[in-house]
Amino acid sequence: MDEPEYDAPTGRKTTGHEWNGIKELDNPVPKVVLAFLAITFIFSVIYWVIAPAWPLGVTYTRGLLGLNDRTEVTHQVEAAAADRAAFTSRLESESFASLAADPALMAYVDETAPTLFEDNCAACHGSDRQGGPGYPNLAASPRLWGGEPETVAETIRVGINGDHPQTRRSQMSAFGEFGTLDRDQIQAVSAYVRSLSGQDLTAAERGRVAPGAEIFATTCASCHGVDGRGDRNQGAPNLTDDVWIYGGDAEAVYETIQGGRQGHMPSWEGRLSPADIRMLTLYIDAHRGSGR
């Protein structure tokens, strides 16, 4: 039997392997590694005993604790639903004034409604609720059909120019395309309308304001009112403020009078629950004018 070879500098046995003049020492496994392996083995045995561990075809070893992630998640979902149920019931039954006065409920609205708005409304009105060309700014105070929460909720429910039997109907006639007004008359009305909101007019536009006022009185006042402040019963916008759906510059106003406008908002009844519609209403109303 061959005698073991020892490494002169360290006095340790070698394995007999040599590579490029370097001999491999037969060092024992460090005790810390053995201790770690022992601890891991003990932990594994304990875990196998107390927790679900081994698959057995269509089932598995349950362990002494009987842990089940699916059951735990189910319980968490049920608990969350129970927590929401109280708020949902109140949203469906209480007045908007009562709901808005409750800090706890409004905290729930502020936590939940942004996601609801993002999923259903932001595509048209924007994540910041400030709308864009053809889509009303919900962060501003003016409302075409009125700003009361009950009115806003009804608009969300039935939509505008949609297919709901009770949908709101509103249309701006195409005065130019239908031949009601000619080019000069449209320019005159446009100048007058822009003057109502205090816009800076060119000298040529200022000269058209007076004849534009006369045309407005006979052609536009039936919807927008003699003072241009609109009619919420018809969804006719207020022309004296600085909030414009399609733009308030000379070109945009001319195009509106020339070609008309007919916005569309779908009915959300059946797509959103009554509680969701009222929650969105509270959210929009609470942040009106905030820009948040």
Side-chain angles (χ1 to χ4, degrees):
M1 182 176 182
D2 294 338
E3 291 291 330
E5 182 181 4
Y6 290 86
D7 177 58
T10 63
R12 294 185 180 278
K13 293 180 182 179
T14 71
T15 63
H17 299 157
E18 182 177 343
W19 183 262
N20 286 345
I22 300 174
K23 293 183 178 181
E24 181 181 10
L25 299 181
D26 186 15
N27 289 328
V29 177
K31 292 181 180 180
V32 65
V33 175
L34 295 175
F36 178 78
L37 292 174
I39 292 172
T40 303
F41 176 78
I42 293 171
F43 173 81
S44 299
V45 172
I46 295 174
Y47 186 86
W48 294 341
V49 172
I50 67 174
W54 291 101
L56 301 174
V58 296
T59 185
Y60 56 91
T61 57
R62 307 285 175 169
L64 298 178
L65 296 179
L67 298 176
N68 188 313
D69 287 345
R70 176 176 293 181
T71 301
E72 183 69 18
V73 170
T74 300
H75 289 164
Q76 292 174 353
V77 171
E78 290 174 349
D83 290 340
R84 290 195 302 269
F87 288 122
T88 299
S89 176
R90 294 186 58 194
L91 283 166
E92 292 178 344
S93 60
E94 293 188 22
S95 69
F96 281 108
S98 173
L99 296 170
D102 186 337
L105 185 135
M106 290 306 297
Y108 171 74
V109 168
D110 278 341
E111 179 181 355
T112 307
T115 300
L116 191 64
F117 185 92
E118 194 73 27
D119 290 344
N120 298 280
C121 313
C124 293
H125 295 286
S127 297
D128 57 2
R129 307 180 314 285
Q130 295 188 17
Y135 302 103
N137 182 349
L138 302 182
S141 292
R143 297 285 189 269
L144 290 178
W145 300 91
E148 300 83 5
E150 293 79 7
T151 304
V152 175
E154 181 68 3
T155 299
I156 298 173
R157 185 181 76 86
V158 302
I160 300 172
N161 295 324
D163 54 9
H164 191 283
Q166 298 171 305
T167 189
R168 300 188 185 280
R169 297 289 180 190
S170 178
Q171 180 173 348
M172 167 78 180
S173 179
F175 291 99
E177 291 183 1
F178 293 162
T180 307
L181 300 176
D182 60 28
R183 182 175 181 275
D184 290 340
Q185 290 174 314
I186 293 176
Q187 287 183 325
V189 174
S190 174
Y192 174 70
V193 167
R194 294 181 66 238
S195 74
L196 292 176
S197 58
Q199 297 190 48
D200 292 331
L201 305 180
T202 65
E205 287 177 317
R206 289 194 292 271
R208 299 185 183 114
V209 169
E214 296 179 4
I215 299 171
F216 184 92
T218 59
T219 308
C220 313
S222 59
C223 290
H224 293 284
V226 294
D227 56 1
R229 295 185 178 276
D231 183 355
R232 51 188 281 176
N233 294 319
Q234 303 181 68
N238 182 350
L239 303 178
T240 66
D241 57 33
D242 60 354
V243 179
W244 300 85
I245 298 177
Y246 294 93
D249 59 276
E251 182 178 354
V253 174
Y254 182 96
E255 179 60 30
T256 295
I257 301 171
Q258 164 69 24
R261 303 291 188 185
Q262 182 175 354
H264 172 76
M265 174 175 169
S267 163
W268 291 97
E269 185 174 53
R271 309 186 196 191
L272 297 177
S273 69
D276 286 342
I277 290 175
R278 290 170 66 84
M279 184 191 302
L280 282 172
T281 301
L282 287 168
Y283 173 66
I284 293 169
D285 188 66
H287 296 289
R288 182 188 307 182
S290 68
R292 294 190 291 110

